[in-house]
């Protein structure tokens, strides 16, 4: 029997109709899906390539870019000691909108960071103009007194503490009482509310950001040379003063740009982030400054300013052949690390900015003009007319009234009468030509922008010629004066001072290197040689004895000037405001160092340039020559080494190089209106004759004899060594024999140089100098000494 299944034909119409309908339905569904896909693709194409503004705005909300600052380049001295560098330091921020307990949190943070609790609380509750709490508020920037791990742990604990406090305010029972319906309604109501729920924090109340901070490891040393950084006009951290400002284009590092998708907290997702590095990394600037010499110069200036009760001072030390500046100090200065010190007069680099009338230090220009254009030589006889000469209706006087003496003697004793006669011989135009030849009235260096060029009087009156001959009618900066003395020291060439040696990338590639242009010869080498001899004579027997350095021949010139009053102040000169100057070089045979020291407004009894500035020059230049390993002059006869001690105290009051005036007024203050300076110095007379006479009798003969001769030191070498090691300072070596003193210095590991025989007469550095600052100790020995018992008996007799 055949099955029913096989009785029906497979082509039966009744069975095929339903199958056809299903196929058609499936085809229609496929077509619909295909069309829908096409619509979606087209829509995506349109949205991707032709988006509407609303779509762009929505997409931009989730795309973000941030800039990550990179470290600035470093600043080095000539020995590669870092003077400025950048370090990554943490800064603590808070989010007031996420802080629920500002009182408790402010107490914890203020105690940890050492801040005022009211200040912290105020920062934690800051609001905008609409009264809404802020999300990003700085609490403290650049935290360097708390270790990184400790600070991060503290912030984590504070954030955890707030979360725990928040949990305590929500009871589990109240949560269970809510039905699922209430929970859902609450959830959707929060999402529909565009303003959101601000009752609970969405982020951490405290957070740390790491930022680059500038560090100056030597604080005030070289402060107003290096400068500092802060937020500048371009809304970025840049140089504000000094090298940091003038070489900012090299030091500044372009930031790295990070782009990607942002999360709900506004941070770039690491998985989508892309970094684009800046074009220029921070380059390193290498200076010609020697950190040790700079430190000694500042220290000596500070000490002398305090001793003379002066207002301020400045100094520069330079290589006379290359123009490299080894040290440049302006006191007072500032610590670039401490914003509170970066203000007022401390911001000025007075070596480049302060204008002074050079006084007698300017006489090298007049002397050179006289030798080359006036037919003078060192033996030319000049009649000084007893120290008085009439200039128009005024009288110019010398301190040392001399008659007819050789030119070298006139220069040694700083005769104003002689220099006026030299100036009259060469004429005003020739003298002004030599003033310009020596570089006065022009910019000296290109490395730092804050330099004033000074001024040269254009007045053609007879008094102008006489005034300019002895250092009036010109306004100069200390660096211009140093360059002028470099001309004498190097054989007649005008060098360009510079302070930046080179600029290099971190990989060593040199971006900039100082290349000295051909130096013009402004005076003959023979003239320079004569002037070096004359300047040495000034230090040897003239007004500059206090600048003499044992073992080296020194040349230089002193100057003393008063401050001219403005017309509003009544004109004339301020007798209490004196500017003391010493300029010179060493050693004479082949000068390695040129230095200019200026101290303004000393209030000591003696205020002459030699007395006030000479000791600073002596100490600093001696240290510089020692550090540069310049050998002492091989043979010295009839000069400094036969003097007792470093300063001829008994004659210092006679070494007055300043000028007497009778009814003389400032000649050209009105010509400096554009220089923005009311402090125009004018060479003036020193204190009156009665003051000098009183000073002479100040020291008795007995005291002089006692001071000249050393005293036996009763302590043993072991006692001296132990005291020196305990105090870490150089002991008083006076009165010790050579064998004993060498034992002491060898035990202290200090190099030494000895001169003479017998017992120690004088030492340098002086007793009390920190051992770590001493490279070498210079000792003078003599067989002429007194015992302590003799000293006591002399005092009893007095």
């Amino acid at each position: 029997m055949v099955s029913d299944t096989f009785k029906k034909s497979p082509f039966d119409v009744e069975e095929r109709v339903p199958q056809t309908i299903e196929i058609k339905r499936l085809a229609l569904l496929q077509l619909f899906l295909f069309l829908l896909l096409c619509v979606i693709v087209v829509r995506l194409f349109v949205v991707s390539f032709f988006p509407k503004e609303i779509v762009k705005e929505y997409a931009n909300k989730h795309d973000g870019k941030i800039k990550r600052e990179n470290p600035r380049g470093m600043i080095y001295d000539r020995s590669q000691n870092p003077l400025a560098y950048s370090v990554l330091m943490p800064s603590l921020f808070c989010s007031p909108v996420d802080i629920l307990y500002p009182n408790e949190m402010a107490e914890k943070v203020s105690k940890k960071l050492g801040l005022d609790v009211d200040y912290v609380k105020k920062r934690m509750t800051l609001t905008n103009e609409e009264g809404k709490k802020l999300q990003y508020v700085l609490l403290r920037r650049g935290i360097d007194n708390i270790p990184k791990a400790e600070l991060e742990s503290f912030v984590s604990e504070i954030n955890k503490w707030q979360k725990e406090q928040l949990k305590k305010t929500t009871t589990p029972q109240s949560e269970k009482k809510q039905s699922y319906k209430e929970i859902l309604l609450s959830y959707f109501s929060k999402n529909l509310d565009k303003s959101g729920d601000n009752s609970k924090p969405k982020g951490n109340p405290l957070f740390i950001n790491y930022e680059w901070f500038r560090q100056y490891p030597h604080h005030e040393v070289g402060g107003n040379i290096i400068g500092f950084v802060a937020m500048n006009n371009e809304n970025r951290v840049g140089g504000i003063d000094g090298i940091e400002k003038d070489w900012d284009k090299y030091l500044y590092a372009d930031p790295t740009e990070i782009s990607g998708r942002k999360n709900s907290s506004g941070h770039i997702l690491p998985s989508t982030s892309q970094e684009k590095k800046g074009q220029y990394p921070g380059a390193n600037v290498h200076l010609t400054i020697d950190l040790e010499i700079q430190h000694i110069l500042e220290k000596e200036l500070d000490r002398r300013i305090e001793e003379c009760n002066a207002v301020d001072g400045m100094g520069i030390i330079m290589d006379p052949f290359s123009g490299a500046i080894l040290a440049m100090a302006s006191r007072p200065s500032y610590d670039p690390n401490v914003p509170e010190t970066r203000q007022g007069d401390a911001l000025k680099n007075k070596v480049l900015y302060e204008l002074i009338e050079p006084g007698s230090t300017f006489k090298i220009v007049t002397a050179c003009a006289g030798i080359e254009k006036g037919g003078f030589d060192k033996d030319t006889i000049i009649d000084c007319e007893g120290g008085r000469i009439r200039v128009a209706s005024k009288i110019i006087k010398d301190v040392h009234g001399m008659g007819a003496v050789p030119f070298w003697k006139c220069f040694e004793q700083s005769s104003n009468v002689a220099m006026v006669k030299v100036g009259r011989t060469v004429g005003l135009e020739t003298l002004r030509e030599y003033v310009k030849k020596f570089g006065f009235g022009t910019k000296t260096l290109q490395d730092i922008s804050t330099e004033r060029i000074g001024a040269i009087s254009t007045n053609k009156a007879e008094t102008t010629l006489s005034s300019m001959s002895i250092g009036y009618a010109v306004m100069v900066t200390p660096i211009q004066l140093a360059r002028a003395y470099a001309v004498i020291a190097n054989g007649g060439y005008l060098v360009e001072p510079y302070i930046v040696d080179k600029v290099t990338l971190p990989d060593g590639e040199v971006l900039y290197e100082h290349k000295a242009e051909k130096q013009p010869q402004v005076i003959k080498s023979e003239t320079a040689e004569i002037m070096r001899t004359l300047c040495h004579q000034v230090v040897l027997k003239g007004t500059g004895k206090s600048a003499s350095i044992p073992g080296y021949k020194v040349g230089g010139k002193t100057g003393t000037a008063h401050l001219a009053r403005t017309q509003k102040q009544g004109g004339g000169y301020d007798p209490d405001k004196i500017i003391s100057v010493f300029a010179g070089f060493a050693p004479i045979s082949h000068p390695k160092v040129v230095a200019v020291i200026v101290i303004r407004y000393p209030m000591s009894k003696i205020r002459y340039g030699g007395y006030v500035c000479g000791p600073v020059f002596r100490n600093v230049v001696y240290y510089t020559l020692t550090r540069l390993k310049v050998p002492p002059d091989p043979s010295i006869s009839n000069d400094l080494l036969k003097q007792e001690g470093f300063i001829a105290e008994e004659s210092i009051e006679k070494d007055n190089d300043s000028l007497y005036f009778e009814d003389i007024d400032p000649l050209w203050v009105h010509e400096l209106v554009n220089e923005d300076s009311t402090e125009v110095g004018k060479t003036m007379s020193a204190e009156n004759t009665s003051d000098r006479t009183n000073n002479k009798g100040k020291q008795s003969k007995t005291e002089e004899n006692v001071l000249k001769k050393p005293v036996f030191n009763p302590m043993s070498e072991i006692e001296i060594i132990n005291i020196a090691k305990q105090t870490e300072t150089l002991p008083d070596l006076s009165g010790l024999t050579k064998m004993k003193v060498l034992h002491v210095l060898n035990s202290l590991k200090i190099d030494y140089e000895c001169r003479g025989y017998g017992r120690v007469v004088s030492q340098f550095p002086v007793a009390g100098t920190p051992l770590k600052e001493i490279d070498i100790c210079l000792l003078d020995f003599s067989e002429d000494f007194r015992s302590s018992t003799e000293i006591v008996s002399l005092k009893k007799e007095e």
Side-chain angles (χ1 to χ4, degrees):
M1 186 176 181
V2 182
S3 174
D4 292 340
T5 305
F6 294 100
K7 288 181 181 180
K8 293 182 180 181
S9 170
F11 300 99
D12 194 296
V13 177
E14 292 180 1
E15 295 294 328
R16 290 200 303 271
V17 171
Q19 189 176 2
T20 304
I21 293 173
E22 289 178 4
I23 292 173
K24 287 182 178 179
R25 287 175 179 174
L26 181 60
L28 288 172
L29 179 61
Q30 290 176 342
L31 178 62
F32 175 75
L33 293 175
F34 175 75
L35 292 174
L36 180 61
L37 179 63
C38 291
V39 171
I40 292 174
V41 170
V42 172
R43 183 61 179 167
L44 287 174
F45 178 82
V46 172
V47 170
S48 300
F49 294 96
F50 306 99
K52 293 182 179 180
E53 291 300 324
I54 189 172
V55 177
K56 290 181 180 178
E57 292 177 4
Y58 182 79
N60 290 337
K61 288 181 180 179
H62 296 277
D63 288 332
K65 290 183 179 180
I66 61 173
K67 287 185 177 181
R68 185 180 65 202
E69 293 295 329
N70 290 317
R72 288 171 68 85
M74 299 180 69
I75 301 177
Y76 295 97
D77 81 335
R78 65 188 292 115
S79 301
Q80 302 307 302
N81 295 309
L83 303 178
Y85 55 84
S86 298
V87 294
L88 199 60
M89 295 173 60
S91 296
L92 184 61
F93 293 81
C94 70
S95 175
V97 72
D98 295 315
I99 295 177
L100 299 180
Y101 310 99
N103 293 336
E104 296 87 342
M105 195 172 290
E107 289 182 4
K108 294 177 181 293
V109 172
S110 62
K111 184 177 180 181
K112 184 68 176 179
L113 299 184
L115 300 174
D116 181 68
V117 64
D118 293 330
Y119 166 80
V120 176
K121 182 180 177 181
K122 183 179 179 181
R123 302 291 291 176
M124 288 184 170
T125 55
L126 281 179
T127 59
N128 58 18
E129 295 178 354
E130 299 175 356
K132 295 181 179 180
K133 291 183 178 180
L134 301 178
Q135 293 182 335
Y136 194 80
V137 175
L138 173 68
L139 290 179
R140 182 179 169 187
R141 173 165 277 129
I143 302 173
D144 58 354
N145 61 335
I146 302 176
K148 173 185 173 183
E150 183 181 339
L151 182 64
E152 290 180 345
S153 176
F154 170 74
V155 171
S156 178
E157 289 176 2
I158 292 294
N159 293 337
K160 184 179 179 181
W161 172 81
Q162 177 166 286
K163 290 179 181 179
E164 292 176 350
Q165 294 297 113
L166 185 60
K167 286 182 181 179
K168 292 179 181 179
T169 59
T170 306
T171 60
Q173 294 179 353
S174 62
E175 290 180 354
K176 289 180 180 179
K177 291 179 180 179
Q178 285 184 319
S179 64
Y180 288 107
K181 183 177 180 180
E182 291 173 338
I183 293 173
L184 289 173
L185 286 173
S186 175
Y187 174 78
F188 282 111
S189 64
K190 288 178 183 178
N191 283 277
L192 290 172
D193 185 7
K194 293 182 180 180
S195 63
D197 182 13
N198 293 323
S199 62
K200 293 183 179 181
K202 298 182 177 60
N204 291 323
L206 298 181
F207 53 95
I208 298 172
N209 280 348
Y210 285 88
E211 303 173 295
W212 289 104
F213 285 86
R214 204 64 166 160
Q215 291 288 302
Y216 304 92
H218 304 288
H219 301 280
E220 277 197 9
V221 179
N224 48 25
I225 297 176
I226 302 167
F228 60 94
V229 297
M231 194 66 69
N232 61 17
N233 295 331
E234 300 175 11
N235 198 29
R236 66 169 177 83
V237 175
I240 303 299
D241 190 34
I243 295 296
E244 293 276 26
K245 174 185 177 182
D246 292 320
W247 293 81
D248 183 72
K249 66 178 182 180
Y250 289 106
L251 291 165
Y252 178 71
D254 290 338
T256 299
E257 188 178 86
I258 304 174
S259 60
R261 300 288 290 177
K262 294 189 296 186
N263 59 17
S264 59
S265 300
H267 301 294
I268 300 294
L269 295 171
S271 58
T272 64
S273 65
Q274 294 181 345
E275 290 190 4
K276 182 181 178 182
K277 293 185 177 180
Q279 185 176 0
Y280 299 104
N284 301 322
V285 176
H286 303 259
L287 304 183
T288 61
I289 293 293
D290 185 293
L291 180 63
E292 297 299 326
I293 299 175
Q294 178 74 26
H295 175 62
I296 291 298
L297 176 59
E298 293 182 2
K299 179 181 175 182
E300 289 295 324
L301 280 171
D302 288 338
R303 182 176 62 83
R304 197 60 177 159
I305 289 170
E306 183 178 359
E307 289 174 350
C308 297
N309 194 22
V311 172
D312 58 22
M314 59 211 86
I316 180 173
I317 302 175
M318 188 175 79
D319 184 322
F321 287 88
S322 68
I325 299 173
L326 304 178
M328 181 167 58
S330 176
R331 316 308 292 164
S333 183
Y334 59 83
D335 183 350
N337 298 297
V338 184
E340 291 79 8
T341 66
R342 306 191 304 238
Q343 57 185 343
D345 200 44
L347 289 172
K348 293 181 182 178
N349 188 338
K350 299 182 179 69
V351 176
L352 308 177
Y353 187 83
E354 210 63 52
L355 295 177
I356 61 171
E357 277 192 299
S360 294
T361 57
F362 191 76
K363 290 176 181 177
I364 59 167
V365 179
T366 308
C368 287
I371 292 171
E372 293 192 346
K373 298 295 184 180
F376 290 87
D377 61 35
K378 62 185 181 66
D379 295 318
T380 301
I381 301 299
I382 301 176
D383 186 3
C384 296
E385 302 182 13
R388 295 171 60 91
I389 189 171
R390 178 173 292 277
V391 178
S393 60
K394 308 179 188 300
I395 301 294
I396 294 179
K397 297 173 63 177
D398 283 340
V399 173
H400 309 94
M402 298 184 295
V405 294
F407 181 58
W408 64 264
K409 189 68 175 179
C410 298
F411 193 85
E412 173 194 293
Q413 298 301 320
S414 196
S415 171
N416 298 302
V417 173
M419 287 302 161
V420 168
K421 289 191 172 185
V422 172
R424 288 176 175 177
T425 302
V426 300
L428 180 58
E429 293 305 317
T430 299
L431 182 58
R432 191 177 281 128
E433 175 190 343
Y434 270 78
V435 173
K436 294 178 180 178
K437 273 187 176 184
F438 273 80
F440 295 110
T442 60
K443 190 175 176 65
T444 61
L445 79 168
Q446 307 301 321
D447 299 343
I448 300 179
S449 60
T450 54
E451 180 189 359
R452 301 171 78 183
I453 64 172
I456 303 171
S457 176
T458 57
N459 196 322
K460 295 183 180 180
E462 177 189 356
T463 52
T464 302
L465 172 60
S466 300
S467 300
M468 193 176 292
S469 300
I470 50 180
Y472 309 123
V474 286
M475 294 296 290
V476 308
T477 58
I479 192 171
Q480 289 176 335
L481 198 57
R483 181 166 67 160
Y485 273 78
V487 172
I488 304 299
N490 65 31
Y493 294 88
L494 185 67
V495 300
E496 179 185 359
Y498 69 101
I499 197 170
V500 176
D501 183 40
K502 61 182 178 180
V503 179
T504 61
L505 290 174
D507 61 4
E509 181 185 350
V510 178
L511 298 181
Y512 165 87
E513 188 169 11
H514 176 80
K515 293 182 179 178
E517 298 180 357
K518 187 177 181 180
Q519 300 167 349
Q521 186 169 7
V522 296
I523 62 173
K524 298 176 183 179
S525 58
E526 297 82 2
T527 304
E529 186 176 355
I530 293 172
M531 291 305 303
R532 286 196 297 271
T533 303
L534 296 183
C535 288
H536 176 50
Q537 197 69 18
V538 170
V539 176
L540 186 63
K541 295 183 178 179
T543 60
K545 296 186 184 73
S546 59
S548 62
I549 301 174
Y552 295 95
K553 288 185 177 181
V554 179
K557 195 74 183 70
T558 57
T560 308
H562 276 231
L563 179 69
R565 295 192 182 102
T566 62
Q567 295 299 325
K568 291 182 179 180
Q569 296 171 333
Y573 305 92
D574 191 330
D576 294 325
K577 292 188 176 180
I578 290 178
I579 302 172
S580 303
V581 188
F582 188 92
F585 43 84
I588 293 295
S589 56
H590 188 71
K592 296 293 185 182
V593 175
V594 164
V596 172
I597 305 298
V598 180
I599 293 180
R600 296 200 306 170
Y601 318 147
M603 297 304 293
S604 53
K605 188 66 176 178
I606 304 173
R607 295 183 279 179
Y608 314 141
Y611 176 80
V612 175
C613 300
V616 180
F617 176 94
R618 176 197 68 216
N619 295 343
V620 173
V621 171
Y622 176 73
Y623 181 87
T624 304
L625 294 173
T626 304
R627 182 166 176 78
L628 297 179
K629 295 181 171 58
V630 178
D633 289 315
S635 60
I636 303 178
S637 60
N638 191 31
D639 58 8
L640 331 171
L641 295 186
K642 292 189 176 181
Q643 296 183 34
E644 295 185 13
F646 296 159
I647 307 176
E649 296 287 352
E650 66 275 7
S651 62
I652 191 66
E653 293 169 11
K654 297 178 182 179
D655 297 335
N656 180 10
D657 61 351
S658 59
L659 179 67
Y660 282 111
F661 282 96
E662 290 183 3
D663 191 31
I664 188 167
D665 298 320
L667 301 175
W668 64 301
V669 175
H670 62 281
E671 299 180 23
L672 285 175
V673 175
N674 294 331
E675 281 294 331
D676 189 27
S677 173
T678 58
E679 296 186 359
V680 181
K682 210 61 180 170
T683 305
M684 281 283 292
S685 63
E687 297 173 312
N688 56 46
T689 307
S690 61
D691 288 337
R692 292 199 306 277
T693 305
N694 293 335
N695 288 336
K696 282 184 180 180
K698 205 172 183 180
Q699 191 177 44
S700 68
K701 292 182 179 180
T702 303
E703 290 175 322
E704 289 179 4
N705 291 332
V706 171
L707 290 174
K708 285 182 181 180
K709 298 186 178 184
V711 184
F712 280 117
N713 195 326
M715 292 190 294
S716 66
E717 301 101 296
I718 302 300
E719 291 176 317
I720 296 173
I721 292 169
N722 290 336
I723 293 174
K725 288 182 177 180
Q726 290 174 4
T727 61
E728 297 184 349
T729 59
L730 184 68
D732 183 2
L733 305 173
S734 59
L736 293 180
T737 62
K738 183 172 288 188
M739 184 177 295
K740 285 186 177 182
V741 78
L742 296 187
H743 179 207
V744 172
L745 294 178
N746 285 327
S747 300
L748 298 177
K749 297 180 180 180
I750 297 175
D751 292 333
Y752 50 82
E753 288 184 12
C754 302
R755 185 180 65 231
Y757 301 94
R759 295 178 181 270
V760 176
V761 179
S762 61
Q763 67 182 73
F764 182 82
V766 297
T769 303
L771 294 176
K772 62 182 180 181
E773 298 180 5
I774 301 173
D775 289 334
I776 189 171
C777 185
L778 184 63
L779 301 166
D780 279 340
F781 292 83
S782 174
E783 296 179 353
D784 187 16
F785 57 86
R786 289 188 185 274
S787 67
S788 56
T789 54
E790 289 179 298
I791 298 262
V792 173
S793 63
L794 283 172
K795 288 184 176 180
K796 286 182 178 179
E797 290 175 5
E798 183 186 7

